[in-house]
Amino acid sequence: MSSSPTLPRYVQGTIEELGTPLAEVTFVVVDLETTGGSPKDSAITEIGAVKVRGGVVLGEFQTLVDPGREIPPYISVLTGITTSMVMAAPRIATVLPAFLEFARGAVLVAHNAPFDLGFLKAACAETGIHWPAAASVDTAVLARRLLTRDEVPNCKLATLAPFFSATTSPTHRALDDARATVDVLHGLFERLGPLGVSSLEELTGLTRQIDPERRRKRHLADSVPHGPGVYLFRGPRDEPLYVGTSTDLRTRVRSYFTSGEQRSRITEMVALATRVDAIPCAHALEAAVRELRLIAEHKPRYNRRSRFPERALWVRLTDEPFPRLSVVRRVRPGAGVFLGPFPDRRAADAAVTAVHESLPLRQCTPRISARAPAGSACALFDMGRCGAPCTGAQSVAAYADIAAVLRAAVACDPGALVAPLLDRVERLAAEERYEDAAVLRDRVAVLLRAVRRRQRLESLAAVPELVLARPDGAGGWELSVVRRGRLVSAGVAPRGSSVRGTLAGLLSTAETLLGPDGEIAASVDETELVLRWMEKPGTRLVELDGTLACPAPGTGAFSRFLALADGSSAGRDPFADGRSLGTRARPDRITAGVGAAGRPRLASPA
């Protein structure tokens, strides 16, 4: 008996399997204006939102908000919103219910969504209003995923709006920026169509895609232990690619093989890695110090920070009858007074300029003999900014009195050095020459920070040995032995064990240092790590050989000035986003169609 051929059975997919078509999703594109960059100390001044579905605008929402405080002048210049404009506006507790009702059931969209949604969530928490669970889309992340650097140099809204021919230009007003973001969103959607991305589930999964090659390398973390330490990613030739540190090595290394890691350089590094080495450490300070040393030794190409400590710059007051300032890379004991270090040439030049504006030190480079100076005065002499020692018009003793002001500033008291500069800042501000005052203020701040940094480093470099202890959170103690600013031994005395016994073992195996006493025995970054660990609340000084003291009066009297200078510098760009907004250098290519679980297929970069 012959059987009839079995016909294929077709089953219609369910709505859950197909996903929600983008054309049927209601999006609410929102933008905020605020008094600053963080919801911790800033408030909302304006909310603008546009509701769209299927490319059609369904409604708009816009209102000013009384932040309950003065709007900083620089914010008013940026946004055009002044304190008088919001005095009659409703408070955020009144506005939030109306906005949440407008956005109810919709997918929220924002450009740099963590900023806008972070302010909204913080406002809800402050006013006791429930924040509804809602899907969100970040157009900045989506743009970084879909656009290349050949198309746009970055993914800022001001760059994307003209690229997608937006009908509204961003103006730092909430509704205008929301309207511009709508056009950017639709422009990005056009990029999704040919790639087979047509549902909300595919859209939200697009930014969370994990490269299959990265997923297959998760086994590299299998042998990594838990606990504090340093990890090294190694390449095909066993070369260190990247060095990092963590309080939990296994958890941190595993995170490199998840969708949470989106940095393009690290993505490229993981693709090259063939092995991960782990170095367990006693505590976080030892891990941080070992990381610095390994980065300085191997200079892994995927590390950006601390790769070249030898490139730090110092300002040197030369040791000669008529000393002058020069920028150098090495500190040589007995070769003069050294100020710094500085991270780059720009900072070093700013400090030099500040010193020259305060003291009439010579700026010429030839060495001047104390016995028979010969030369002609330059323009600085006519301007009163140099005593012309090259012509014999200024004696060695008179010049030494001027240089002594800088020596005293570096050693203990910068007051006489910076006092005329601060007076000039006040005078420029009184004359309404605010830009000149700000430039001089920043130079003084660079100079004071360098003095403070030098004094802190020398205070620890002068100590032959000290032992520090911190609670480990489990009833035990984390121990560190430091000699002349260098961590030479580290360990942990668990709860119930003898701290003195553990310490005796650490001291017997501690590194022996070479070099003259009183000279720093570690890199600047390492010594500053030790200083920060030492200054944390709860740290105890167990043993001390020598004297640990800071010079008096030091820079303490200028702490308020430095805080104000830092605040003014940060206030120049209150909306600065700490994340990279650049396009990916080697973005994953998305092929047409979808893969497993209805997600777009990704092709590894060539």
Side-chain angles (χ1 to χ4, degrees):
M1 180 176 179
S2 63
S3 60
S4 60
T6 303
L7 298 176
R9 184 179 182 184
Y10 296 97
V11 179
Q12 182 177 358
T14 64
I15 295 295
E16 290 75 12
E17 292 172 339
L18 296 175
T20 309
L22 290 176
E24 299 177 9
V25 177
T26 301
F27 295 95
V28 169
V29 182
V30 62
D31 186 82
L32 306 180
E33 302 301 330
T34 66
T35 61
S38 172
K40 294 181 180 179
D41 53 14
S42 304
I44 298 171
T45 59
E46 187 180 27
I47 300 178
V50 181
K51 183 183 294 186
V52 295
R53 182 173 64 238
V56 178
V57 175
L58 305 179
E60 293 184 340
F61 180 97
Q62 188 276 332
T63 180
L64 292 172
V65 181
D66 180 6
R69 65 193 73 178
E70 293 287 331
I71 297 179
Y74 58 85
I75 296 294
S76 297
V77 171
L78 182 69
T79 65
I81 302 174
T82 63
T83 303
S84 60
M85 290 173 59
V86 298
M87 289 180 63
R91 300 296 294 269
I92 190 64
T94 304
V95 172
L96 274 176
F99 169 75
L100 294 177
E101 178 61 26
F102 177 80
R104 185 162 58 92
V107 175
L108 294 177
V109 180
H111 198 76
N112 293 340
F115 176 86
D116 299 281
L117 301 188
F119 266 93
L120 290 172
K121 291 178 181 178
C124 285
E126 183 179 353
T127 56
I129 298 175
H130 172 68
W131 174 260
S136 63
V137 174
D138 190 335
T139 50
V141 174
L142 195 58
R144 288 198 298 272
R145 191 73 167 142
L146 297 174
L147 302 178
T148 65
R149 195 166 295 167
D150 293 335
E151 295 176 295
V152 290
N154 56 62
C155 291
K156 298 178 180 179
L157 183 59
T159 303
L160 297 178
F163 177 77
F164 286 114
S165 302
T167 56
T168 304
S169 299
T171 61
H172 283 295
R173 290 301 299 268
L175 187 56
D176 282 349
D177 287 6
R179 289 169 174 168
T181 305
V182 169
D183 291 335
V184 170
L185 180 67
H186 289 158
L188 293 170
F189 280 178
E190 293 178 0
R191 296 294 185 98
L192 296 175
L195 303 175
V197 179
S198 59
S199 69
L200 177 62
E201 290 73 17
E202 292 170 340
L203 175 65
T204 55
L206 181 63
T207 57
R208 298 195 302 269
Q209 284 289 348
I210 308 175
D211 190 342
E213 290 294 331
R214 181 192 294 189
R215 185 184 295 111
R216 280 194 287 269
K217 289 192 173 184
R218 286 182 295 182
H219 69 278
L220 297 180
D222 291 345
S223 61
V224 177
H226 289 286
V230 180
Y231 55 89
L232 294 86
F233 280 84
R234 293 188 178 272
R237 295 184 300 276
D238 209 38
E239 74 279 15
L241 297 175
Y242 183 80
V243 178
T245 182
S246 176
T247 56
D248 189 332
L249 285 170
R250 187 177 180 85
T251 301
R252 182 67 184 102
V253 172
R254 286 175 63 89
S255 70
Y256 283 89
F257 309 105
T258 67
S259 61
E261 181 55 72
Q262 293 293 328
R263 291 173 292 176
S264 58
R265 286 173 58 84
I266 299 302
T267 299
E268 182 179 321
M269 181 275 296
V270 171
L272 294 173
T274 59
R275 192 174 92 239
V276 179
D277 291 340
I279 305 175
C281 297
H283 46 67
L285 176 60
E286 184 189 9
V289 168
R290 287 186 179 275
E291 178 194 28
L292 280 176
R293 294 177 185 175
L294 288 170
I295 292 174
E297 177 184 357
H298 297 292
K299 296 179 173 39
R301 57 174 168 164
Y302 289 99
N303 282 96
R304 293 185 182 274
R305 180 180 57 86
S306 305
R307 278 206 301 168
F308 303 100
E310 65 276 7
R311 293 182 181 178
L313 297 174
W314 301 77
V315 173
R316 173 194 175 204
L317 181 66
T318 57
D319 187 17
E320 54 182 310
F322 297 100
R324 60 182 179 85
L325 296 179
S326 64
V327 179
V328 298
R329 290 199 181 275
R330 295 185 59 189
V331 174
R332 293 185 293 117
V337 175
F338 290 86
L339 177 63
F342 297 91
D344 51 44
R345 184 73 189 215
R346 182 178 179 180
D349 288 344
V352 169
T353 302
V355 173
H356 283 151
E357 291 183 356
S358 176
L359 301 175
L361 293 173
R362 71 183 183 96
Q363 301 182 34
C364 52
T365 57
R367 186 178 182 89
I368 301 176
S369 172
R371 296 183 177 180
S376 57
C378 61
L380 293 176
F381 175 72
D382 297 330
M383 298 167 59
R385 299 182 61 179
C386 179
C390 57
T391 66
Q394 191 173 30
S395 66
V396 173
Y399 193 91
D401 291 339
I402 297 172
V405 176
L406 178 58
R407 298 179 191 274
V410 176
C412 61
D413 185 8
L417 176 65
V418 301
L421 299 176
L422 296 179
D423 290 342
R424 188 180 172 198
V425 171
E426 295 292 339
R427 187 168 62 254
L428 290 171
E431 296 173 358
E432 298 185 357
R433 296 169 58 185
Y434 300 117
E435 292 184 358
D436 293 337
V439 170
L440 182 57
R441 177 206 61 205
D442 291 344
R443 288 175 183 167
V444 177
V446 170
L447 177 61
L448 283 172
R449 291 191 199 100
V451 171
R452 181 173 61 184
R453 195 177 189 190
R454 180 63 174 165
Q455 291 177 354
R456 282 166 51 83
L457 293 172
E458 288 186 338
S459 68
L460 201 56
V463 180
E465 181 179 283
L466 75 156
V467 178
L468 303 170
R470 280 186 55 79
D472 67 354
W477 291 91
E478 299 174 348
L479 302 174
S480 297
V481 181
V482 180
R483 293 173 180 169
R484 289 169 27 211
R486 182 180 180 87
L487 180 68
V488 294
S489 188
V492 175
R495 181 179 182 179
S497 64
S498 171
V499 175
R500 288 294 176 183
T502 303
L503 180 56
L506 294 178
L507 291 173
S508 65
T509 58
E511 178 183 357
T512 300
L513 301 182
L514 303 177
D517 294 339
E519 182 180 340
I520 191 169
S523 67
V524 170
D525 289 339
E526 177 176 335
T527 303
E528 289 187 329
L529 279 176
V530 173
L531 281 167
R532 287 195 292 270
W533 199 78
M534 181 175 67
E535 293 168 350
K536 286 182 178 180
T539 303
R540 306 247 183 122
L541 183 60
V542 180
E543 291 183 2
L544 174 66
D545 178 14
T547 302
L548 178 62
C550 294
T555 59
F558 303 97
S559 297
R560 183 173 180 275
F561 167 80
L562 290 173
L564 292 174
D566 291 339
S568 299
S569 299
R572 292 174 185 168
D573 190 3
F575 301 104
D577 187 359
R579 302 171 301 158
S580 169
L581 288 179
T583 53
R584 299 184 64 170
R586 298 181 65 193
D588 294 333
R589 292 303 177 197
I590 309 172
T591 60
V594 295
R599 295 180 177 176
R601 289 198 298 263
L602 296 184
S604 300

